[in-house]
């Protein structure tokens, strides 16, 4: 369909425990910012996967400094910025998968229709 499904507006989930981090986030139009820097037991995120499906707008994921992260991102039209490394255009995909044994990284999979994806650490 032409119109994305999911919430319209702004979402800013900021979980404080790994158990509160959803395995799947969906956003329709607007801004989605997932801030994982407040997760007290961030090491419990290792080995898990977070899927993000977004429509139109900006998706930002902030991970704690030092947390091992594997990324698989795709935007149909727009820009992707992974820790300062950028690409833009149509049908853009970027992968950042450090060579690590299974279960030693948090995997984040982001698929967006139109707009910007940014993953940063803080």
């Amino acid at each position: 369909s032409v119109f994305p499904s999911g919430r319209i507006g702004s979402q800013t989930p900021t979980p404080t425990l790994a158990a509160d981090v959803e395995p799947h986030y969906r956003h329709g139009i607007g801004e989605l910012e997932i801030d994982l820097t407040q997760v007290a037991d961030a090491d419990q995120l290792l080995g898990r996967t977070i899927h993000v499906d977004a429509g139109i707008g900006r998706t930002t994921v902030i991970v704690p400094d030092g947390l091992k992260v594997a990324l698989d991102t795709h935007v149909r039209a727009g820009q992707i910025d992974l820790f300062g490394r950028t690409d833009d255009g149509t049908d853009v995909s970027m992968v950042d998968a450090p060579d690590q044994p299974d279960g030693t990284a948090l995997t984040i999979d982001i698929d967006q229709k139109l707009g910007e994806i940014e993953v940063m650490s803080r």
Side-chain angles (χ1 to χ4, degrees), residues 24-96:
H24 194 151
Y25 292 89
R26 179 179 299 276
H27 194 75
I29 299 172
E31 183 172 351
L32 171 62
E33 180 178 291
I34 303 168
D35 186 349
L36 301 176
T37 62
Q38 301 301 310
V39 176
D41 55 347
D43 60 315
Q44 295 298 309
L45 294 172
L46 300 176
R48 291 182 51 188
T49 299
I50 298 172
H51 298 278
V52 179
D53 290 315
I56 300 169
R58 180 174 178 81
T59 300
T60 304
V61 180
I62 307 166
V63 297
D65 280 331
L67 184 69
K68 296 176 184 172
V69 180
L71 301 164
D72 186 357
T73 59
H74 177 258
V75 65
R76 291 190 186 115
Q79 177 176 315
I80 299 174
D81 180 338
L82 303 182
F83 304 111
R85 196 172 47 107
T86 63
D87 196 3
D88 61 20
T90 57
D91 215 16
V92 178
S93 293
M94 288 181 72
V95 175
D96 186 12

